[in-house]
Amino acid sequence: MHRITPGDNNYTTILMSVLVVGSVALDSVETPFGKADNVLGGSGNFFSAAASHLAPVQLVGVIGSDYPVAELEHAFAGRPIDLSGVERAEGSSFRWRGRYRHDLNTAETLETHLGVFSNFRPKIPEQFRNAPFVFLGNIDPRLQLEVLTQVDRPKLVACDTMNFWIESRRPDLLKLLERVDLITLNDAEARQLTEEFNLVKAAKWIMNHGPRHVVIKKGEHGAFMFTESTIFFAPAFPLETVFDPTGAGDSFAGGFMGYLARTGDISETNLRRAVVYGSALGSFAVEKFSVERLLEIDATDIRNRVAEFHRLVNFEQDLT
Amino acid sequence: MHRITPGDNNYTTILMSVLVVGSVALDSVETPFGKADNVLGGSGNFFSAAASHLAPVQLVGVIGSDYPVAELEHAFAGRPIDLSGVERAEGSSFRWRGRYRHDLNTAETLETHLGVFSNFRPKIPEQFRNAPFVFLGNIDPRLQLEVLTQVDRPKLVACDTMNFWIESRRPDLLKLLERVDLITLNDAEARQLTEEFNLVKAAKWIMNHGPRHVVIKKGEHGAFMFTESTIFFAPAFPLETVFDPTGAGDSFAGGFMGYLARTGDISETNLRRAVVYGSALGSFAVEKFSVERLLEIDATDIRNRVAEFHRLVNFEQDLT
């Protein structure tokens, strides 16, 4: 697959890039508001669409011989998303079909076909190996570990995971934890991994096993970022219409990592802002199907939403 | 019942008082951490214990002939809580018995005995009728309306309600909504009342029916305050141990109304601070059984927790 960003684009010399390894899939989704068939989906796509508003993205993944490449290239045209790490393999692409009922908070998975994704072995192209920010999307922890052997001392490595790997690959996941700076996972996964119901305790457990930072995503209830001595919380943006929640978590991760890469700053102050950028991008993702809304918005939309987040939680302490 | 606050206490001339009509009950609670039998409970008690840190409280309620009055008076001794509106009736007191499993988010009610509470008709003592802040705890909306006929143009009237009244007293509840400035209710109740799943839409529905402000409490997931043109959100404080969630919502209301009464200021800026004071008092309430923790803390504890709330959500916007 060719690099589709313009040849004269020299962004990599301006901003730090973020490398993401994740799924490049096709989703079929039904919500109370409509349905979409075989639209661009997967953690890699949502992450890239979100992060590319903030920094250059290097995507590593695999697609089958049936993947609508022209559609993908069209969607990402003109964006700093380098697709040269997306490998094309013989076979069918990863497809997910799901449905949301009126509460929109939990997806009901109707079908999952891993296709070529089940034999995926990420190969990091030479020109991606010095990416300063690395996001290991939700794949087998053994593969996440393999990716880490292929990159040169990134400034920050973050990973995601899910219930399936927590159950089936626990020892590998624990090895991975020792090697990452930050993990993002949802509240149910944090509880499952740590066997602690309380999220403060769960976060401490995780930090004792490696990562300096733990981001626990609670979907419509917002996200916590824990460090050894601080807790930061950002609510989910209170939208009047959540159209399709698919990809919110991956878009959060894209906004978060994209903001870190854009600024090159991993101080606590900046990590907090990154959580808000993640929440902002996540809130856009759910306004339409697939990556549609993420491709419509511009820097002003993002800046305005970040300002709305500030108004949402801001209060002045009194001095009495 | 006698007024038990010190005779020389002239707080009513310094701070505005808050009148609360609610239940004065006995709770028996079982949590994963232990159990407590026949301890002080009910919305009136939790509200008063919380609000009295901030402003003088005038409590109106009813107790049965079996109520441990000495215990109540001892618990509230030295606090600006005027109990002269707590009527004693022949019969048994309101008793609630419940249990929380490990998730601590939903109470399982094992027994409810309304006792004298089922014939309660609130009578507002003459000296309470000009209270500038009035909180109508969760009782029959017909009684909440009766209270309003007995008070003189308060500066702000807020009410609470619950699923039972939404089902059985809908027309009265809608009449009440036209008469209150603010309502506090939880997310499930907001959805039930409005038949809107989305909380932003639910809040708009409620504001269209009367109240200028709607506070939607989401338990461990925090609280929203809606006005016509703004939304404010405060998370629940991320405690490492939630000991007993009973009374958190009533303590929130007490902290909220107490702060408004203390400051006499109902501007948006101050209402936001009041939500944080409510969240702070709610977070103390759940640290021990009954009103125990609320009676231990002092002004410094509260101020420190409010400061922690600020650190929890605070982020600096960048200027890029």
Side-chain angles (χ1 to χ4, degrees):
Chain A
M1 183 168 258
H2 304 296
R3 180 162 176 160
I4 57 158
T5 45
D8 60 349
N9 189 324
N10 63 346
Y11 54 78
T12 47
T13 64
I14 307 169
L15 301 162
M16 292 188 188
S17 59
V18 52
L19 167 65
V20 55
V21 182
S23 57
V24 182
L26 292 171
D27 288 348
S28 295
V29 186
E30 213 177 303
T31 81
F33 309 105
K35 54 190 291 186
D37 281 317
N38 293 310
V39 291
L40 302 180
S43 61
N45 279 340
F46 279 106
F47 183 100
S48 300
S52 62
H53 284 284
L54 300 160
V57 180
Q58 299 167 330
L59 175 59
V60 172
V62 65
I63 55 176
S65 33
D66 57 351
Y67 205 82
V69 176
E71 196 186 318
L72 180 67
E73 293 192 341
H74 178 75
F76 289 167
R79 296 180 174 270
I81 301 172
D82 190 332
L83 296 173
S84 57
V86 179
E87 181 194 341
R88 193 159 182 177
E90 209 49 54
S92 55
S93 298
F94 182 3
R95 284 167 199 263
W96 176 79
R97 202 159 72 78
R99 179 163 56 194
Y100 298 86
R101 307 285 187 176
H102 75 292
D103 82 345
L104 287 161
N105 214 21
T106 40
E108 187 186 339
T109 291
L110 302 173
E111 275 177 76
T112 305
H113 291 297
L114 290 176
V116 295
F117 196 65
S118 58
N119 295 312
F120 178 45
R121 294 288 296 270
K123 285 172 281 298
I124 310 304
E126 190 56 41
Q127 72 276 19
F128 290 3
R129 296 186 172 215
N130 62 355
F133 291 87
V134 174
F135 187 74
L136 306 169
N138 166 28
I139 56 174
D140 188 329
R142 295 179 186 185
L143 302 182
Q144 292 174 312
L145 282 162
E146 273 184 26
V147 170
L148 290 185
T149 65
Q150 299 176 58
V151 293
D152 302 335
R153 309 170 165 274
K155 200 170 159 74
L156 185 133
V157 176
C159 74
D160 194 10
T161 193
M162 71 182 290
N163 50 5
F164 182 76
W165 308 121
I166 296 170
E167 272 165 43
S168 62
R169 291 277 192 270
R170 193 178 181 84
D172 301 291
L173 186 55
L174 291 177
K175 244 180 260 166
L176 179 69
L177 286 184
E178 291 171 19
R179 304 276 315 271
V180 301
D181 302 297
L182 185 147
I183 182 171
T184 69
L185 73 184
N186 71 33
D187 44 356
E189 290 156 358
R191 287 172 173 141
Q192 188 190 3
L193 172 62
T194 65
E195 291 171 353
E196 290 283 3
F197 186 81
N198 182 281
L199 296 181
V200 182
K201 287 184 181 160
K204 285 192 175 169
W205 188 102
I206 296 170
M207 288 186 281
N208 282 334
H209 286 75
R212 284 195 316 277
H213 309 281
V214 176
V215 174
I216 298 183
K217 300 170 289 177
K218 302 198 297 168
E220 62 161 333
H221 298 304
F224 278 113
M225 179 176 66
F226 295 88
T227 70
E228 196 190 344
S229 58
T230 65
I231 309 180
F232 177 62
F233 178 80
F237 194 73
L239 292 167
E240 204 161 328
T241 303
V242 174
F243 189 83
D244 172 14
T246 312
D250 302 314
S251 305
F252 174 95
F256 178 82
M257 293 294 284
Y259 187 76
L260 293 182
R262 180 184 195 81
T263 54
D265 173 358
I266 55 173
S267 67
E268 159 93 15
T269 304
N270 206 54
L271 282 161
R272 287 177 167 233
R273 276 196 286 258
V275 170
V276 176
Y277 272 83
S279 303
L281 272 301
S283 74
F284 284 119
V286 304
E287 291 183 337
K288 295 200 173 175
F289 280 127
S290 182
V291 293
E292 224 176 293
R293 185 71 181 127
L294 290 175
L295 299 181
E296 282 173 4
I297 56 170
D298 62 19
T300 305
D301 295 319
I302 296 172
R303 201 162 39 235
N304 288 344
R305 184 143 299 174
V306 167
E308 287 185 89
F309 268 98
H310 198 262
R311 283 192 291 275
L312 178 62
V313 298
N314 188 53
F315 70 95
E316 290 160 36
Q317 288 183 82
D318 51 1
L319 303 165
T320 57
Chain B
M1 185 167 253
H2 303 296
R3 180 162 177 161
I4 58 158
T5 45
D8 60 349
N9 188 323
N10 63 346
Y11 53 78
T12 48
T13 64
I14 306 169
L15 301 161
M16 293 187 188
S17 60
V18 52
L19 166 65
V20 56
V21 181
S23 57
V24 181
L26 292 171
D27 287 348
S28 294
V29 185
E30 213 177 303
T31 81
F33 309 105
K35 53 190 292 187
D37 281 316
N38 293 311
V39 290
L40 302 180
S43 61
N45 279 339
F46 279 107
F47 184 100
S48 301
S52 62
H53 284 284
L54 299 161
V57 180
Q58 299 166 330
L59 175 58
V60 171
V62 65
I63 55 176
S65 34
D66 57 351
Y67 205 82
V69 176
E71 197 185 316
L72 181 67
E73 293 192 342
H74 178 73
F76 289 168
R79 297 182 174 269
I81 302 173
D82 189 332
L83 296 173
S84 57
V86 178
E87 180 195 343
R88 193 161 182 175
E90 208 49 53
S92 56
S93 299
F94 183 3
R95 284 167 200 262
W96 177 79
R97 202 158 73 78
R99 178 163 59 193
Y100 298 87
R101 307 285 187 174
H102 75 293
D103 82 347
L104 286 162
N105 214 22
T106 39
E108 188 186 337
T109 291
L110 302 174
E111 274 177 75
T112 305
H113 291 298
L114 290 177
V116 295
F117 196 64
S118 59
N119 295 313
F120 178 46
R121 294 287 296 271
K123 284 171 280 302
I124 311 302
E126 190 56 40
Q127 72 275 21
F128 290 4
R129 294 183 174 218
N130 63 354
F133 291 87
V134 174
F135 187 73
L136 306 169
N138 167 28
I139 56 174
D140 189 329
R142 295 179 187 186
L143 302 181
Q144 291 174 312
L145 281 163
E146 273 184 25
V147 170
L148 290 184
T149 65
Q150 299 176 57
V151 294
D152 303 334
R153 309 171 166 274
K155 201 170 158 74
L156 186 132
V157 176
C159 73
D160 195 9
T161 192
M162 73 182 291
N163 51 4
F164 182 74
W165 310 120
I166 295 170
E167 272 165 42
S168 63
R169 291 277 191 267
R170 193 178 181 85
D172 302 291
L173 185 55
L174 291 178
K175 245 180 262 168
L176 178 70
L177 286 184
E178 290 171 19
R179 305 275 317 269
V180 302
D181 302 298
L182 185 147
I183 182 170
T184 68
L185 72 185
N186 73 31
D187 45 355
E189 291 156 357
R191 286 173 174 140
Q192 189 190 2
L193 172 62
T194 65
E195 292 172 351
E196 290 283 2
F197 186 81
N198 182 282
L199 295 181
V200 182
K201 287 183 182 162
K204 284 192 176 171
W205 188 101
I206 296 170
M207 288 187 281
N208 282 333
H209 285 75
R212 286 195 316 277
H213 308 282
V214 175
V215 173
I216 298 182
K217 300 170 289 179
K218 302 198 298 169
E220 62 161 332
H221 298 304
F224 278 113
M225 179 176 65
F226 296 88
T227 70
E228 196 189 346
S229 57
T230 65
I231 309 180
F232 177 62
F233 178 80
F237 194 74
L239 293 167
E240 205 161 325
T241 304
V242 174
F243 189 84
D244 172 15
T246 311
D250 301 313
S251 305
F252 174 96
F256 178 81
M257 294 294 286
Y259 186 76
L260 292 182
R262 180 184 194 81
T263 53
D265 174 356
I266 55 173
S267 67
E268 159 92 16
T269 305
N270 206 55
L271 282 161
R272 285 177 169 235
R273 276 195 287 258
V275 170
V276 177
Y277 272 83
S279 303
L281 271 302
S283 74
F284 284 119
V286 304
E287 290 182 339
K288 294 201 173 174
F289 280 128
S290 181
V291 292
E292 224 177 293
R293 185 73 180 125
L294 290 175
L295 299 181
E296 283 174 3
I297 55 170
D298 61 18
T300 305
D301 295 319
I302 296 171
R303 204 163 35 236
N304 287 344
R305 184 144 299 174
V306 168
E308 286 184 90
F309 268 97
H310 198 262
R311 282 192 291 276
L312 178 61
V313 298
N314 187 53
F315 69 95
E316 291 159 35
Q317 288 184 83
D318 52 1
L319 304 166
T320 57

